[in-house]
Amino acid sequence: MSQEVTEFIEKVKEPWQASLCHELRQVVHNAIPDVQERIQYNKPHFLKNKKYAAVISIAKDAVSFTIFNATGLELPEGLFDGPPERKTIKFRNGEQIDAGMLNDWVKQASQTL
């Protein structure tokens, strides 16, 4: 894990957002064991074979999680936004993530990277 990403998450002001970032980061590492991570555009980016696999974005009232290479994924209607090649889900305070489902989607999307 990148110290740069660890420091980024530690600086997140809202405790619920920092906790969610830790969970999402772990999802990516579970799904892509050899993932590389870096801060780019002031956001944690996760790469496989030098191609984007996922990104975490923090907004005032939400944490967004984007899965790249998502064209072939079968995702629940209305849960994700974005074009077919990258899908984003937003989490707000108090919402729980389904780590198992996210893990499956990230793993599936990253298989062809």
Side-chain angles (χ1 to χ4, degrees), residues 29-96:
H29 279 270
N30 290 342
I32 311 169
D34 58 344
V35 71
Q36 285 85 48
E37 50 181 34
R38 67 178 180 212
I39 298 295
Q40 187 173 357
Y41 309 115
N42 201 30
K43 301 172 191 170
H45 284 70
F46 303 89
L47 298 92
K48 180 179 177 187
N49 299 323
K50 300 182 181 179
K51 296 179 183 174
Y52 293 119
V55 65
I56 298 171
S57 303
I58 299 171
K60 185 177 180 179
D61 65 342
V63 174
S64 296
F65 182 69
T66 301
I67 300 171
F68 290 88
N69 199 39
T71 303
L73 298 181
E74 291 185 27
L75 301 169
E77 191 71 32
L79 193 58
F80 287 82
D81 293 319
E85 65 275 6
R86 66 180 181 277
K87 292 295 186 181
T88 301
I89 184 170
K90 286 187 180 179
F91 298 99
R92 302 205 187 302
N93 193 2
E95 294 180 348
Q96 299 296 314

Short mmCIF file of all heavy atoms in Angstrom, two decimals, residues 29-96:
data_model
loop_
_atom_site.label_atom_id
_atom_site.label_comp_id
_atom_site.label_asym_id
_atom_site.label_seq_id
_atom_site.Cartn_x
_atom_site.Cartn_y
_atom_site.Cartn_z
N HIS A 29 -7.91 -3.77 -2.88
CA HIS A 29 -6.76 -4.65 -2.63
C HIS A 29 -7.17 -6.12 -2.57
O HIS A 29 -6.41 -6.99 -3.00
CB HIS A 29 -6.01 -4.23 -1.36
CG HIS A 29 -5.09 -3.10 -1.60
ND1 HIS A 29 -3.78 -3.27 -1.98
CD2 HIS A 29 -5.29 -1.76 -1.55
CE1 HIS A 29 -3.20 -2.08 -2.13
NE2 HIS A 29 -4.10 -1.15 -1.88
N ASN A 30 -8.35 -6.41 -2.06
CA ASN A 30 -8.85 -7.79 -2.05
C ASN A 30 -9.16 -8.28 -3.46
O ASN A 30 -8.92 -9.44 -3.79
CB ASN A 30 -10.08 -7.92 -1.16
CG ASN A 30 -9.76 -7.76 0.31
OD1 ASN A 30 -8.62 -7.87 0.73
ND2 ASN A 30 -10.78 -7.48 1.10
N ALA A 31 -9.71 -7.39 -4.28
CA ALA A 31 -10.11 -7.77 -5.64
C ALA A 31 -8.92 -7.86 -6.59
O ALA A 31 -8.92 -8.68 -7.51
CB ALA A 31 -11.13 -6.76 -6.18
N ILE A 32 -7.93 -7.01 -6.37
CA ILE A 32 -6.75 -6.94 -7.26
C ILE A 32 -5.50 -7.00 -6.38
O ILE A 32 -4.96 -5.97 -6.00
CB ILE A 32 -6.75 -5.64 -8.09
CG1 ILE A 32 -8.10 -5.40 -8.76
CG2 ILE A 32 -5.64 -5.68 -9.13
CD1 ILE A 32 -8.24 -4.01 -9.37
N PRO A 33 -5.05 -8.19 -6.04
CA PRO A 33 -3.93 -8.33 -5.10
C PRO A 33 -2.66 -7.57 -5.51
O PRO A 33 -1.92 -7.10 -4.66
CB PRO A 33 -3.68 -9.84 -5.07
CG PRO A 33 -4.98 -10.45 -5.47
CD PRO A 33 -5.59 -9.49 -6.45
N ASP A 34 -2.39 -7.43 -6.80
CA ASP A 34 -1.17 -6.75 -7.26
C ASP A 34 -1.42 -5.31 -7.68
O ASP A 34 -0.65 -4.74 -8.46
CB ASP A 34 -0.51 -7.54 -8.39
CG ASP A 34 -1.44 -7.73 -9.59
OD1 ASP A 34 -2.66 -7.53 -9.44
OD2 ASP A 34 -0.94 -8.08 -10.68
N VAL A 35 -2.47 -4.70 -7.18
CA VAL A 35 -2.84 -3.33 -7.57
C VAL A 35 -1.76 -2.34 -7.16
O VAL A 35 -1.10 -2.50 -6.13
CB VAL A 35 -4.21 -2.95 -6.96
CG1 VAL A 35 -4.13 -2.74 -5.46
CG2 VAL A 35 -4.78 -1.71 -7.63
N GLN A 36 -1.56 -1.33 -8.00
CA GLN A 36 -0.71 -0.20 -7.66
C GLN A 36 -1.63 0.96 -7.32
O GLN A 36 -2.71 1.08 -7.89
CB GLN A 36 0.20 0.20 -8.82
CG GLN A 36 1.37 -0.74 -9.06
CD GLN A 36 0.99 -1.92 -9.92
OE1 GLN A 36 0.37 -1.76 -10.96
NE2 GLN A 36 1.35 -3.12 -9.49
N GLU A 37 -1.19 1.80 -6.40
CA GLU A 37 -2.02 2.95 -6.04
C GLU A 37 -1.16 4.20 -6.01
O GLU A 37 0.04 4.14 -5.75
CB GLU A 37 -2.74 2.72 -4.71
CG GLU A 37 -1.89 2.25 -3.57
CD GLU A 37 -2.67 2.02 -2.29
OE1 GLU A 37 -3.83 1.60 -2.33
OE2 GLU A 37 -2.07 2.27 -1.23
N ARG A 38 -1.83 5.30 -6.31
CA ARG A 38 -1.15 6.60 -6.29
C ARG A 38 -2.19 7.69 -6.15
O ARG A 38 -3.37 7.48 -6.40
CB ARG A 38 -0.32 6.80 -7.55
CG ARG A 38 -1.16 6.95 -8.80
CD ARG A 38 -0.28 7.20 -10.00
NE ARG A 38 -1.09 7.35 -11.21
CZ ARG A 38 -0.69 6.97 -12.40
NH1 ARG A 38 0.49 6.42 -12.57
NH2 ARG A 38 -1.46 7.16 -13.46
N ILE A 39 -1.70 8.86 -5.76
CA ILE A 39 -2.57 10.04 -5.73
C ILE A 39 -2.40 10.75 -7.06
O ILE A 39 -1.28 11.05 -7.49
CB ILE A 39 -2.19 10.99 -4.57
CG1 ILE A 39 -2.37 10.30 -3.22
CG2 ILE A 39 -3.01 12.28 -4.64
CD1 ILE A 39 -3.81 9.92 -2.88
N GLN A 40 -3.51 10.96 -7.73
CA GLN A 40 -3.51 11.70 -8.99
C GLN A 40 -4.76 12.55 -9.01
O GLN A 40 -5.84 12.08 -8.63
CB GLN A 40 -3.50 10.72 -10.16
CG GLN A 40 -3.34 11.38 -11.49
CD GLN A 40 -3.17 10.35 -12.62
OE1 GLN A 40 -3.12 9.15 -12.40
NE2 GLN A 40 -3.11 10.85 -13.83
N TYR A 41 -4.63 13.79 -9.42
CA TYR A 41 -5.76 14.74 -9.40
C TYR A 41 -6.35 14.84 -7.99
O TYR A 41 -7.55 14.94 -7.81
CB TYR A 41 -6.84 14.35 -10.41
CG TYR A 41 -6.32 14.10 -11.80
CD1 TYR A 41 -6.39 12.85 -12.36
CD2 TYR A 41 -5.72 15.13 -12.53
CE1 TYR A 41 -5.90 12.60 -13.64
CE2 TYR A 41 -5.22 14.89 -13.80
CZ TYR A 41 -5.31 13.63 -14.34
OH TYR A 41 -4.82 13.39 -15.60
N ASN A 42 -5.49 14.74 -6.99
CA ASN A 42 -5.86 14.83 -5.58
C ASN A 42 -6.87 13.75 -5.15
O ASN A 42 -7.73 13.99 -4.31
CB ASN A 42 -6.37 16.23 -5.22
CG ASN A 42 -6.28 16.49 -3.74
OD1 ASN A 42 -5.40 15.97 -3.05
ND2 ASN A 42 -7.19 17.29 -3.23
N LYS A 43 -6.76 12.56 -5.75
CA LYS A 43 -7.64 11.44 -5.42
C LYS A 43 -6.83 10.15 -5.46
O LYS A 43 -5.93 10.01 -6.29
CB LYS A 43 -8.77 11.30 -6.45
CG LYS A 43 -9.65 12.49 -6.60
CD LYS A 43 -10.57 12.28 -7.78
CE LYS A 43 -11.28 13.58 -8.11
NZ LYS A 43 -12.00 13.49 -9.36
N PRO A 44 -7.17 9.19 -4.60
CA PRO A 44 -6.52 7.88 -4.71
C PRO A 44 -6.98 7.14 -5.97
O PRO A 44 -8.18 6.96 -6.19
CB PRO A 44 -7.00 7.14 -3.45
CG PRO A 44 -7.49 8.19 -2.53
CD PRO A 44 -8.01 9.29 -3.41
N HIS A 45 -6.02 6.77 -6.79
CA HIS A 45 -6.27 6.00 -8.00
C HIS A 45 -5.63 4.62 -7.84
O HIS A 45 -4.54 4.51 -7.28
CB HIS A 45 -5.66 6.69 -9.22
CG HIS A 45 -6.44 7.85 -9.71
ND1 HIS A 45 -6.53 9.03 -9.03
CD2 HIS A 45 -7.19 8.01 -10.83
CE1 HIS A 45 -7.29 9.88 -9.71
NE2 HIS A 45 -7.70 9.28 -10.81
N PHE A 46 -6.29 3.62 -8.35
CA PHE A 46 -5.82 2.24 -8.26
C PHE A 46 -5.63 1.72 -9.68
O PHE A 46 -6.53 1.82 -10.51
CB PHE A 46 -6.83 1.39 -7.48
CG PHE A 46 -7.09 1.94 -6.11
CD1 PHE A 46 -8.09 2.86 -5.88
CD2 PHE A 46 -6.29 1.55 -5.04
CE1 PHE A 46 -8.31 3.39 -4.62
CE2 PHE A 46 -6.50 2.06 -3.77
CZ PHE A 46 -7.52 2.98 -3.56
N LEU A 47 -4.45 1.16 -9.94
CA LEU A 47 -4.10 0.73 -11.29
C LEU A 47 -3.69 -0.74 -11.32
O LEU A 47 -3.09 -1.25 -10.37
CB LEU A 47 -2.95 1.57 -11.82
CG LEU A 47 -3.21 3.06 -11.98
CD1 LEU A 47 -2.80 3.80 -10.72
CD2 LEU A 47 -2.45 3.60 -13.16
N LYS A 48 -4.03 -1.36 -12.44
CA LYS A 48 -3.56 -2.72 -12.73
C LYS A 48 -2.93 -2.67 -14.11
O LYS A 48 -3.55 -2.19 -15.06
CB LYS A 48 -4.73 -3.70 -12.71
CG LYS A 48 -4.29 -5.13 -13.01
CD LYS A 48 -5.45 -6.10 -12.96
CE LYS A 48 -4.97 -7.49 -13.34
NZ LYS A 48 -6.09 -8.42 -13.46
N ASN A 49 -1.70 -3.12 -14.21
CA ASN A 49 -0.96 -3.08 -15.48
C ASN A 49 -0.93 -1.67 -16.07
O ASN A 49 -1.12 -1.47 -17.27
CB ASN A 49 -1.54 -4.07 -16.49
CG ASN A 49 -1.45 -5.49 -15.99
OD1 ASN A 49 -0.48 -5.87 -15.36
ND2 ASN A 49 -2.48 -6.28 -16.27
N LYS A 50 -0.79 -0.68 -15.19
CA LYS A 50 -0.70 0.74 -15.55
C LYS A 50 -1.99 1.30 -16.14
O LYS A 50 -2.00 2.36 -16.75
CB LYS A 50 0.47 0.99 -16.50
CG LYS A 50 1.80 0.61 -15.88
CD LYS A 50 2.94 0.92 -16.81
CE LYS A 50 4.25 0.49 -16.15
NZ LYS A 50 5.41 0.73 -16.99
N LYS A 51 -3.10 0.59 -15.94
CA LYS A 51 -4.41 1.07 -16.41
C LYS A 51 -5.32 1.28 -15.20
O LYS A 51 -5.27 0.51 -14.24
CB LYS A 51 -5.04 0.05 -17.36
CG LYS A 51 -4.24 -0.13 -18.63
CD LYS A 51 -4.87 -1.15 -19.52
CE LYS A 51 -4.00 -1.37 -20.75
NZ LYS A 51 -4.50 -2.44 -21.58
N TYR A 52 -6.15 2.31 -15.29
CA TYR A 52 -7.04 2.62 -14.18
C TYR A 52 -8.01 1.47 -13.91
O TYR A 52 -8.64 0.95 -14.82
CB TYR A 52 -7.87 3.87 -14.46
CG TYR A 52 -7.06 5.14 -14.51
CD1 TYR A 52 -7.00 5.91 -15.65
CD2 TYR A 52 -6.32 5.56 -13.40
CE1 TYR A 52 -6.26 7.07 -15.71
CE2 TYR A 52 -5.58 6.72 -13.44
CZ TYR A 52 -5.55 7.47 -14.58
OH TYR A 52 -4.82 8.62 -14.63
N ALA A 53 -8.13 1.11 -12.63
CA ALA A 53 -9.09 0.09 -12.21
C ALA A 53 -10.19 0.71 -11.35
O ALA A 53 -11.35 0.35 -11.48
CB ALA A 53 -8.39 -1.01 -11.44
N ALA A 54 -9.80 1.68 -10.49
CA ALA A 54 -10.79 2.30 -9.60
C ALA A 54 -10.23 3.62 -9.08
O ALA A 54 -9.02 3.86 -9.12
CB ALA A 54 -11.12 1.38 -8.43
N VAL A 55 -11.13 4.46 -8.57
CA VAL A 55 -10.73 5.72 -7.96
C VAL A 55 -11.73 6.06 -6.85
O VAL A 55 -12.91 5.74 -6.95
CB VAL A 55 -10.64 6.87 -9.00
CG1 VAL A 55 -11.98 7.21 -9.61
CG2 VAL A 55 -10.01 8.11 -8.40
N ILE A 56 -11.22 6.68 -5.80
CA ILE A 56 -12.05 7.16 -4.71
C ILE A 56 -12.04 8.69 -4.77
O ILE A 56 -10.97 9.30 -4.87
CB ILE A 56 -11.50 6.70 -3.35
CG1 ILE A 56 -11.51 5.17 -3.23
CG2 ILE A 56 -12.31 7.32 -2.20
CD1 ILE A 56 -10.80 4.64 -2.01
N SER A 57 -13.21 9.29 -4.69
CA SER A 57 -13.34 10.75 -4.69
C SER A 57 -14.12 11.17 -3.46
O SER A 57 -15.13 10.54 -3.11
CB SER A 57 -14.08 11.24 -5.93
OG SER A 57 -13.45 10.81 -7.10
N ILE A 58 -13.69 12.26 -2.85
CA ILE A 58 -14.38 12.75 -1.66
C ILE A 58 -15.01 14.10 -1.98
O ILE A 58 -14.34 14.99 -2.50
CB ILE A 58 -13.41 12.89 -0.48
CG1 ILE A 58 -12.82 11.52 -0.17
CG2 ILE A 58 -14.12 13.46 0.74
CD1 ILE A 58 -11.70 11.53 0.81
N ALA A 59 -16.29 14.21 -1.69
CA ALA A 59 -17.02 15.46 -1.85
C ALA A 59 -17.48 15.91 -0.46
O ALA A 59 -17.30 15.20 0.52
CB ALA A 59 -18.22 15.27 -2.78
N LYS A 60 -18.11 17.04 -0.41
CA LYS A 60 -18.54 17.60 0.86
C LYS A 60 -19.44 16.64 1.64
O LYS A 60 -19.26 16.45 2.84
CB LYS A 60 -19.28 18.92 0.61
CG LYS A 60 -19.67 19.66 1.85
CD LYS A 60 -20.33 20.98 1.49
CE LYS A 60 -20.73 21.73 2.74
NZ LYS A 60 -21.35 23.01 2.42
N ASP A 61 -20.37 16.00 0.96
CA ASP A 61 -21.35 15.16 1.65
C ASP A 61 -21.37 13.71 1.16
O ASP A 61 -22.32 12.98 1.43
CB ASP A 61 -22.74 15.77 1.51
CG ASP A 61 -23.24 15.77 0.07
OD1 ASP A 61 -22.41 15.62 -0.86
OD2 ASP A 61 -24.45 15.90 -0.13
N ALA A 62 -20.33 13.29 0.44
CA ALA A 62 -20.34 11.94 -0.12
C ALA A 62 -18.93 11.44 -0.39
O ALA A 62 -17.98 12.21 -0.42
CB ALA A 62 -21.15 11.91 -1.42
N VAL A 63 -18.84 10.14 -0.58
CA VAL A 63 -17.63 9.49 -1.08
C VAL A 63 -18.05 8.74 -2.32
O VAL A 63 -19.00 7.95 -2.29
CB VAL A 63 -17.02 8.51 -0.04
CG1 VAL A 63 -15.84 7.76 -0.65
CG2 VAL A 63 -16.59 9.25 1.21
N SER A 64 -17.39 9.01 -3.43
CA SER A 64 -17.69 8.34 -4.68
C SER A 64 -16.64 7.29 -4.96
O SER A 64 -15.46 7.49 -4.67
CB SER A 64 -17.72 9.33 -5.84
OG SER A 64 -18.75 10.27 -5.66
N PHE A 65 -17.08 6.20 -5.56
CA PHE A 65 -16.19 5.11 -5.92
C PHE A 65 -16.47 4.76 -7.37
O PHE A 65 -17.59 4.42 -7.74
CB PHE A 65 -16.45 3.89 -5.02
CG PHE A 65 -15.55 2.73 -5.27
CD1 PHE A 65 -14.20 2.80 -4.95
CD2 PHE A 65 -16.04 1.55 -5.81
CE1 PHE A 65 -13.35 1.72 -5.18
CE2 PHE A 65 -15.22 0.47 -6.03
CZ PHE A 65 -13.87 0.55 -5.71
N THR A 66 -15.44 4.89 -8.21
CA THR A 66 -15.59 4.64 -9.64
C THR A 66 -14.84 3.37 -10.01
O THR A 66 -13.69 3.17 -9.63
CB THR A 66 -15.05 5.81 -10.47
OG1 THR A 66 -15.76 7.00 -10.10
CG2 THR A 66 -15.21 5.57 -11.95
N ILE A 67 -15.54 2.52 -10.77
CA ILE A 67 -14.94 1.30 -11.31
C ILE A 67 -14.73 1.52 -12.80
O ILE A 67 -15.67 1.87 -13.52
CB ILE A 67 -15.87 0.08 -11.10
CG1 ILE A 67 -16.14 -0.13 -9.61
CG2 ILE A 67 -15.27 -1.17 -11.74
CD1 ILE A 67 -17.20 -1.17 -9.33
N PHE A 68 -13.49 1.36 -13.26
CA PHE A 68 -13.17 1.51 -14.67
C PHE A 68 -13.28 0.18 -15.39
O PHE A 68 -13.30 -0.88 -14.76
CB PHE A 68 -11.75 2.07 -14.84
CG PHE A 68 -11.62 3.50 -14.40
CD1 PHE A 68 -11.34 3.80 -13.08
CD2 PHE A 68 -11.80 4.53 -15.29
CE1 PHE A 68 -11.24 5.12 -12.66
CE2 PHE A 68 -11.70 5.85 -14.89
CZ PHE A 68 -11.42 6.15 -13.56
N ASN A 69 -13.35 0.22 -16.72
CA ASN A 69 -13.45 -0.97 -17.55
C ASN A 69 -14.72 -1.75 -17.20
O ASN A 69 -14.73 -2.97 -17.15
CB ASN A 69 -12.20 -1.85 -17.36
CG ASN A 69 -12.00 -2.84 -18.47
OD1 ASN A 69 -12.24 -2.54 -19.63
ND2 ASN A 69 -11.58 -4.04 -18.13
N ALA A 70 -15.79 -1.01 -16.96
CA ALA A 70 -17.03 -1.59 -16.42
C ALA A 70 -18.04 -2.00 -17.47
O ALA A 70 -19.15 -2.41 -17.12
CB ALA A 70 -17.66 -0.58 -15.46
N THR A 71 -17.69 -1.93 -18.74
CA THR A 71 -18.66 -2.17 -19.82
C THR A 71 -19.39 -3.50 -19.68
O THR A 71 -20.59 -3.57 -19.88
CB THR A 71 -17.96 -2.09 -21.19
OG1 THR A 71 -17.34 -0.81 -21.30
CG2 THR A 71 -18.95 -2.25 -22.32
N GLY A 72 -18.72 -4.56 -19.30
CA GLY A 72 -19.35 -5.88 -19.23
C GLY A 72 -20.04 -6.21 -17.92
O GLY A 72 -20.60 -7.29 -17.77
N LEU A 73 -20.03 -5.28 -16.96
CA LEU A 73 -20.60 -5.58 -15.65
C LEU A 73 -22.13 -5.53 -15.68
O LEU A 73 -22.72 -4.67 -16.32
CB LEU A 73 -20.11 -4.58 -14.60
CG LEU A 73 -18.62 -4.54 -14.32
CD1 LEU A 73 -18.32 -3.51 -13.24
CD2 LEU A 73 -18.10 -5.90 -13.91
N GLU A 74 -22.74 -6.44 -14.95
CA GLU A 74 -24.19 -6.39 -14.75
C GLU A 74 -24.43 -5.76 -13.40
O GLU A 74 -24.27 -6.39 -12.35
CB GLU A 74 -24.78 -7.81 -14.81
CG GLU A 74 -24.71 -8.41 -16.20
CD GLU A 74 -25.41 -9.75 -16.29
OE1 GLU A 74 -26.35 -10.00 -15.51
OE2 GLU A 74 -24.99 -10.55 -17.14
N LEU A 75 -24.79 -4.47 -13.43
CA LEU A 75 -24.97 -3.69 -12.21
C LEU A 75 -26.45 -3.42 -11.94
O LEU A 75 -27.22 -3.28 -12.88
CB LEU A 75 -24.21 -2.37 -12.34
CG LEU A 75 -22.71 -2.49 -12.58
CD1 LEU A 75 -22.12 -1.14 -12.94
CD2 LEU A 75 -22.02 -3.08 -11.37
N PRO A 76 -26.83 -3.30 -10.68
CA PRO A 76 -28.23 -3.00 -10.35
C PRO A 76 -28.65 -1.66 -10.95
O PRO A 76 -27.88 -0.69 -10.92
CB PRO A 76 -28.24 -2.93 -8.83
CG PRO A 76 -27.00 -3.60 -8.38
CD PRO A 76 -26.01 -3.46 -9.49
N GLU A 77 -29.84 -1.62 -11.45
CA GLU A 77 -30.40 -0.39 -12.05
C GLU A 77 -30.47 0.72 -11.00
O GLU A 77 -30.92 0.50 -9.88
CB GLU A 77 -31.80 -0.69 -12.60
CG GLU A 77 -32.38 0.40 -13.46
CD GLU A 77 -31.70 0.52 -14.82
OE1 GLU A 77 -31.24 -0.52 -15.34
OE2 GLU A 77 -31.62 1.64 -15.33
N GLY A 78 -30.00 1.90 -11.37
CA GLY A 78 -30.14 3.08 -10.51
C GLY A 78 -29.10 3.22 -9.41
O GLY A 78 -29.10 4.22 -8.71
N LEU A 79 -28.22 2.27 -9.25
CA LEU A 79 -27.23 2.33 -8.18
C LEU A 79 -25.97 3.06 -8.62
O LEU A 79 -25.33 3.75 -7.84
CB LEU A 79 -26.88 0.91 -7.72
CG LEU A 79 -26.09 0.74 -6.43
CD1 LEU A 79 -26.82 1.39 -5.25
CD2 LEU A 79 -25.85 -0.72 -6.15
N PHE A 80 -25.61 2.93 -9.90
CA PHE A 80 -24.41 3.54 -10.45
C PHE A 80 -24.76 4.57 -11.51
O PHE A 80 -25.77 4.45 -12.19
CB PHE A 80 -23.52 2.46 -11.10
CG PHE A 80 -22.82 1.57 -10.12
CD1 PHE A 80 -23.47 0.49 -9.56
CD2 PHE A 80 -21.50 1.80 -9.79
CE1 PHE A 80 -22.82 -0.35 -8.67
CE2 PHE A 80 -20.83 0.96 -8.89
CZ PHE A 80 -21.49 -0.10 -8.33
N ASP A 81 -23.88 5.56 -11.66
CA ASP A 81 -23.99 6.57 -12.71
C ASP A 81 -22.76 6.48 -13.59
O ASP A 81 -21.74 5.93 -13.20
CB ASP A 81 -24.05 7.98 -12.10
CG ASP A 81 -25.31 8.23 -11.30
OD1 ASP A 81 -26.39 7.80 -11.76
OD2 ASP A 81 -25.20 8.83 -10.22
N GLY A 82 -22.88 7.08 -14.78
CA GLY A 82 -21.72 7.18 -15.66
C GLY A 82 -21.87 6.39 -16.93
O GLY A 82 -22.79 5.59 -17.08
N PRO A 83 -20.92 6.61 -17.85
CA PRO A 83 -20.94 5.90 -19.13
C PRO A 83 -20.59 4.42 -18.92
O PRO A 83 -20.07 4.05 -17.87
CB PRO A 83 -19.88 6.63 -19.95
CG PRO A 83 -18.95 7.21 -18.95
CD PRO A 83 -19.78 7.54 -17.75
N PRO A 84 -20.84 3.59 -19.93
CA PRO A 84 -20.61 2.15 -19.77
C PRO A 84 -19.19 1.76 -19.35
O PRO A 84 -19.01 0.80 -18.61
CB PRO A 84 -20.92 1.59 -21.17
CG PRO A 84 -21.82 2.58 -21.80
CD PRO A 84 -21.41 3.92 -21.24
N GLU A 85 -18.19 2.54 -19.78
CA GLU A 85 -16.81 2.14 -19.48
C GLU A 85 -16.36 2.48 -18.06
O GLU A 85 -15.37 1.97 -17.59
CB GLU A 85 -15.84 2.75 -20.49
CG GLU A 85 -15.74 4.25 -20.46
CD GLU A 85 -16.79 4.98 -21.29
OE1 GLU A 85 -17.72 4.33 -21.83
OE2 GLU A 85 -16.70 6.21 -21.40
N ARG A 86 -17.08 3.36 -17.37
CA ARG A 86 -16.76 3.65 -15.97
C ARG A 86 -18.04 3.98 -15.20
O ARG A 86 -18.81 4.83 -15.61
CB ARG A 86 -15.72 4.75 -15.85
CG ARG A 86 -16.16 6.09 -16.31
CD ARG A 86 -15.02 7.12 -16.14
NE ARG A 86 -15.46 8.42 -16.55
CZ ARG A 86 -15.46 8.85 -17.80
NH1 ARG A 86 -15.03 8.06 -18.77
NH2 ARG A 86 -15.88 10.05 -18.10
N LYS A 87 -18.21 3.29 -14.12
CA LYS A 87 -19.43 3.44 -13.32
C LYS A 87 -19.08 3.93 -11.92
O LYS A 87 -18.13 3.47 -11.30
CB LYS A 87 -20.18 2.10 -13.22
CG LYS A 87 -20.76 1.65 -14.54
CD LYS A 87 -21.82 2.62 -15.01
CE LYS A 87 -22.53 2.14 -16.25
NZ LYS A 87 -23.54 3.09 -16.70
N THR A 88 -19.87 4.88 -11.44
CA THR A 88 -19.62 5.51 -10.14
C THR A 88 -20.80 5.32 -9.21
O THR A 88 -21.95 5.50 -9.62
CB THR A 88 -19.35 7.02 -10.33
OG1 THR A 88 -18.22 7.19 -11.18
CG2 THR A 88 -19.09 7.71 -9.00
N ILE A 89 -20.49 4.97 -7.97
CA ILE A 89 -21.50 4.87 -6.93
C ILE A 89 -21.14 5.88 -5.85
O ILE A 89 -19.96 6.06 -5.53
CB ILE A 89 -21.58 3.43 -6.36
CG1 ILE A 89 -22.71 3.32 -5.35
CG2 ILE A 89 -20.26 2.97 -5.80
CD1 ILE A 89 -23.01 1.88 -4.93
N LYS A 90 -22.15 6.57 -5.30
CA LYS A 90 -21.92 7.55 -4.24
C LYS A 90 -22.47 7.01 -2.93
O LYS A 90 -23.58 6.48 -2.88
CB LYS A 90 -22.61 8.87 -4.57
CG LYS A 90 -21.93 9.66 -5.63
CD LYS A 90 -22.57 11.02 -5.79
CE LYS A 90 -21.84 11.78 -6.88
NZ LYS A 90 -22.41 13.10 -7.11
N PHE A 91 -21.68 7.19 -1.90
CA PHE A 91 -22.09 6.82 -0.55
C PHE A 91 -22.20 8.08 0.30
O PHE A 91 -21.33 8.93 0.25
CB PHE A 91 -21.06 5.88 0.09
CG PHE A 91 -20.90 4.58 -0.64
CD1 PHE A 91 -19.85 4.40 -1.53
CD2 PHE A 91 -21.79 3.54 -0.45
CE1 PHE A 91 -19.69 3.20 -2.21
CE2 PHE A 91 -21.65 2.34 -1.12
CZ PHE A 91 -20.59 2.17 -2.00
N ARG A 92 -23.26 8.16 1.07
CA ARG A 92 -23.47 9.28 1.97
C ARG A 92 -23.35 8.78 3.42
O ARG A 92 -23.37 7.59 3.68
CB ARG A 92 -24.82 9.92 1.73
CG ARG A 92 -24.96 10.41 0.28
CD ARG A 92 -25.95 11.52 0.11
NE ARG A 92 -26.24 11.91 -1.25
CZ ARG A 92 -25.40 12.33 -2.17
NH1 ARG A 92 -24.13 12.39 -1.91
NH2 ARG A 92 -25.78 12.68 -3.37
N ASN A 93 -23.25 9.71 4.34
CA ASN A 93 -23.09 9.37 5.75
C ASN A 93 -24.18 8.39 6.21
O ASN A 93 -25.36 8.61 5.96
CB ASN A 93 -23.15 10.65 6.59
CG ASN A 93 -22.69 10.44 8.01
OD1 ASN A 93 -22.29 9.34 8.38
ND2 ASN A 93 -22.75 11.48 8.81
N GLY A 94 -23.77 7.33 6.84
CA GLY A 94 -24.70 6.33 7.36
C GLY A 94 -24.98 5.18 6.42
O GLY A 94 -25.54 4.17 6.84
N GLU A 95 -24.61 5.31 5.15
CA GLU A 95 -24.83 4.23 4.20
C GLU A 95 -23.71 3.20 4.32
O GLU A 95 -22.55 3.56 4.52
CB GLU A 95 -24.90 4.77 2.77
CG GLU A 95 -26.09 5.65 2.51
CD GLU A 95 -26.14 6.18 1.09
OE1 GLU A 95 -25.14 6.06 0.35
OE2 GLU A 95 -27.18 6.74 0.73
N GLN A 96 -24.07 1.96 4.20
CA GLN A 96 -23.10 0.86 4.29
C GLN A 96 -22.74 0.40 2.88
O GLN A 96 -23.57 0.43 1.98
CB GLN A 96 -23.70 -0.31 5.06
CG GLN A 96 -24.09 0.04 6.49
CD GLN A 96 -22.88 0.42 7.32
OE1 GLN A 96 -21.87 -0.26 7.29
NE2 GLN A 96 -22.98 1.51 8.06
#
